[in-house]
Amino acid sequence: MKKDTFFRDSFILTLSNLTTGILGFTFSIILSHKLGAEGMGLYGLIMPIYNLFICLISGGMIAAISKVSAEFINKKDYRNLNKTIDTSIVFDIVWSLIVVFFVFINSDSISKYIIKDIRSANALKIICPAMVFIAISSILKGYFYGISKIKIPAFIDISEKALRIVFIVVITTILSLNEIKDTVTFAYIALLLGEFTSTFFLYLFYKINSNKNPYSPYSQEGRAQLLFNVLSISFPLCLNGFLSTGLSTVSTLLVPRRLIHAGFDYSSALSTIGKFTGMSLVIVFFPMLVVNSMSTILIPDISQSVSNKDYWGTEDRIKTVFKISFLLGLSTMLLCTTIPDSLGMLFFKRDDLGKYILFSSLAAPFLYPSATTFGILNGLGKQGKLLRNSLIVSIEEIVLLFILVGIPTINIYGYALTITITSLTTIFLNIYEIRKTYFIDINGSEILIILLTSLLMFFVLNILKNVLPNSLYVFKYIVMIITSFSLIFIANIMIKESK
């Protein structure tokens, strides 16, 4: 039953993330038309700052609350579950207000000295209240994930992303926004409204759901103890997220400086970043939402397996998720290397993205499975090892970006090379830790089957590319996308038949 529940919840969350991903993708396309490449570059420079402070405020809360909630639900201890959520919300509100006050009063300095673009100042002020809403919603999402009520946050996320699109379209239609600064600011106002709506409805459904819980015979624990139980899990994850995101922010802000060192002027560097990270990587890493969905459900799932001493089930789950994520990355790479120029035209109406899409897609087979290893280590309770490995990889990322992007002949392609190398490092370090506790074998026959079916899929995609007429380009590319991702099912069927 637990296996069915895992895949059921993963499917629901994937379906939700697919919908929100499409809406987010649509939002990116609309923004790219409104902002242009330079505006997308500026928008992308602000986002890491936002993510950095979000990690400081609520990093690790979703994973910690989902893990604690799953344990309380397993014991049917509803009283302490509700008390934990209420206490965590109060704590996070107080903490987030302290951080937000600091960001707001220093927004001009952050814009001038860290981002080094004063046009970002208003957007930084706008995201301050959004941070408070995210802090609350992180706890509530963790609660619903932990009690296996995935549909509620899934539906709310979809509504939130749709609201962002409606707002940005209405505002840019009504107002004549000629300045990049103004359009970027309104894009972040859309984010603020979306987060407020999401938090409001999450809290509403939480109160409705918590009032329906049956009587619990357990005695209530003290609020300090319940909060400590959450923070003991979330703090290492928060520290991990904050330090890793901090180093990632350094990496993001480092790229335009290294491009200038490589011979670009500032405007060209920002435009190149916008085309690469704001457009090309959005296409290549769109299927990551499936991996992220599985990783989210994986944390409480593995936690319960370990608690029940179901070691075989845990090993089987780890191998299955790792294999699916690798096949998904492989399918993405095959598609992006076959029709890179067409994908750029199809989604962003640009003919200068093909080379970026092709090169960055080479990282997908390594990045996708590396992402699942974080969820696995979280579920196994190895937050300390995860922190250490994340810091190693983040430092490696900064060093590689500094060296590679600054080389004139490599420039922005150094970003893609860095993703590939750091993903391989992540896989090696995290799998090494996992194998200390659980036996994760690599089957030679399965690898051979995957390689042969991938080669076959590559030929099939190229045949479809040449046979299907360009006059039916939408139909043509939909068929090719579906064909590419059928590799996952074909490879799995062949592997089962070989056993």
Side-chain angles (χ1 to χ4, degrees):
M1 281 298 291
K2 192 162 90 58
K3 183 177 180 180
D4 293 338
T5 300
F6 171 79
F7 284 109
R8 182 204 67 194
D9 291 347
S10 294
F11 176 75
I12 293 171
L13 194 58
T14 298
L15 203 60
S16 162
N17 286 348
L18 180 62
T19 307
T20 56
I22 291 171
L23 291 171
F25 196 62
T26 305
F27 185 72
S28 296
I29 293 171
I30 293 170
L31 274 186
S32 71
H33 293 320
K34 303 294 182 182
L35 298 178
E38 184 179 354
M40 288 296 286
L42 178 61
Y43 183 87
L45 291 180
I46 298 168
M47 189 57 73
I49 301 294
Y50 175 62
N51 291 334
L52 177 65
F53 287 107
I54 287 298
C55 280
L56 181 61
I57 291 170
S58 58
M61 271 298 183
I62 290 182
I65 294 292
S66 69
K67 184 178 173 66
V68 170
S69 297
E71 291 171 356
F72 278 131
I73 284 292
N74 204 32
K75 297 187 296 183
K76 300 189 183 336
D77 186 359
Y78 303 109
R79 295 173 68 185
N80 283 314
L81 170 60
N82 295 339
K83 195 173 181 180
T84 298
I85 302 303
D86 293 336
T87 304
S88 299
I89 288 175
V90 172
F91 171 81
D92 237 14
I93 288 175
V94 174
W95 172 233
S96 63
L97 287 173
I98 295 170
V99 175
V100 160
F101 178 74
F102 169 82
V103 176
F104 189 86
I105 63 174
N106 291 287
S107 56
D108 290 336
S109 299
I110 294 171
S111 176
K112 185 177 180 180
Y113 298 110
I114 298 179
I115 299 177
K116 292 191 179 297
D117 197 320
I118 197 64
R119 293 176 296 179
S120 63
N122 289 338
L124 285 172
K125 291 173 183 175
I126 291 297
I127 62 177
C128 286
M131 295 180 194
V132 180
F133 299 135
I134 283 204
I136 301 170
S137 64
S138 296
I139 294 169
L140 297 172
K141 284 179 182 178
Y143 166 78
F144 285 115
Y145 294 152
I147 66 174
S148 293
K149 291 198 173 182
I150 310 299
K151 293 180 182 177
I152 293 174
F155 176 76
I156 291 172
D157 274 348
I158 292 170
S159 303
E160 184 253 321
K161 295 296 186 298
L163 182 65
R164 281 196 208 182
I165 293 174
V166 171
F167 180 82
I168 197 68
V169 169
V170 170
I171 289 299
T172 52
T173 301
I174 294 174
L175 301 178
S176 179
L177 301 174
N178 299 318
E179 296 290 330
I180 288 176
K181 177 186 71 173
D182 296 331
T183 313
V184 169
T185 300
F186 275 103
Y188 279 100
I189 291 176
L191 182 146
L192 168 61
L193 289 177
E195 293 300 342
F196 168 75
T197 305
S198 174
T199 304
F200 174 80
F201 283 106
L202 280 169
Y203 188 75
L204 179 65
F205 279 101
Y206 160 67
K207 296 304 292 184
I208 293 171
N209 189 78
S210 61
N211 289 333
K212 291 180 181 179
N213 288 335
Y215 172 76
S216 175
Y218 292 89
S219 59
Q220 292 193 52
E221 296 183 35
R223 291 187 182 276
Q225 181 60 51
L226 293 172
L227 183 61
F228 175 79
N229 294 342
V230 172
L231 295 180
S232 63
I233 299 171
S234 69
F235 181 73
L237 294 175
C238 176
L239 186 61
N240 176 14
F242 182 72
L243 292 176
S244 299
T245 306
L247 292 172
S248 178
T249 302
V250 172
S251 299
T252 303
L253 299 175
L254 180 67
V255 172
R257 292 158 178 76
R258 297 307 293 164
L259 286 175
I260 292 171
H261 181 268
F264 290 68
D265 59 67
Y266 180 71
S267 180
S268 298
L270 212 55
S271 296
T272 302
I273 294 168
K275 287 187 286 186
F276 188 82
T277 62
M279 300 179 194
S280 302
L281 288 186
V282 170
I283 293 173
V284 174
F285 299 145
F286 179 75
M288 270 288 287
L289 60 91
V290 179
V291 176
N292 293 334
S293 300
M294 289 192 297
S295 297
T296 300
I297 303 301
L298 203 58
I299 296 170
D301 182 84
I302 288 181
S303 178
Q304 286 189 24
S305 293
V306 173
S307 178
N308 296 329
K309 302 188 186 304
D310 183 9
Y311 302 116
W312 182 88
T314 304
E315 289 177 359
D316 184 60
R317 175 75 74 243
I318 292 170
K319 288 189 285 187
T320 300
V321 171
F322 193 81
K323 181 172 65 178
I324 290 173
S325 60
F326 175 70
L327 287 169
L328 190 63
L330 206 55
S331 299
T332 303
M333 185 190 74
L334 291 173
L335 180 68
C336 291
T337 53
T338 304
I339 51 169
D341 295 308
S342 302
L343 290 172
M345 283 297 298
L346 181 66
F347 294 112
F348 289 100
K349 304 297 182 187
R350 297 187 69 104
D351 58 3
D352 55 353
L353 302 180
K355 54 188 179 180
Y356 299 141
I357 293 171
L358 189 152
F359 204 80
S360 58
S361 70
L362 301 179
F366 312 111
L367 178 67
Y368 284 32
S370 73
T372 63
T373 60
F374 289 103
I376 293 168
L377 286 177
N378 271 330
L380 295 176
K382 296 191 175 186
Q383 283 79 23
K385 303 295 184 183
L386 189 57
L387 171 60
R388 183 200 63 191
N389 293 350
S390 297
L391 291 178
I392 291 172
V393 172
S394 296
I395 293 169
E396 179 188 39
E397 180 183 343
I398 291 175
V399 173
L400 288 171
L401 284 174
F402 184 86
I403 296 171
L404 296 174
V405 177
I407 300 174
T409 53
I410 298 178
N411 56 77
I412 195 65
Y413 297 105
Y415 202 125
L417 283 171
T418 298
I419 294 172
T420 305
I421 296 168
T422 52
S423 297
L424 285 167
T425 305
T426 300
I427 291 174
F428 174 79
L429 292 174
N430 289 350
I431 289 294
Y432 176 77
E433 290 301 327
I434 295 167
R435 284 172 64 91
K436 286 182 178 180
T437 311
Y438 295 93
F439 179 69
I440 310 298
D441 63 328
I442 300 175
N443 192 309
S445 62
E446 289 188 9
I447 294 174
L448 181 61
I449 290 171
I450 289 171
L451 290 175
L452 291 175
T453 50
S454 300
L455 187 62
L456 174 63
M457 188 60 66
F458 179 75
F459 287 124
V460 170
L461 287 172
N462 276 278
I463 291 170
L464 289 173
K465 175 184 175 182
N466 294 316
V467 169
L468 294 176
N470 290 328
S471 56
L472 302 173
Y473 73 96
V474 175
F475 172 77
K476 175 179 180 177
Y477 298 132
I478 289 175
V479 169
M480 292 186 69
I481 290 170
I482 294 172
T483 302
S484 174
F485 290 107
S486 67
L487 171 67
I488 300 169
F489 305 102
I490 295 170
N492 273 314
I493 291 170
M494 293 185 70
I495 288 169
K496 287 179 181 178
E497 290 293 327
S498 68
K499 291 182 178 178

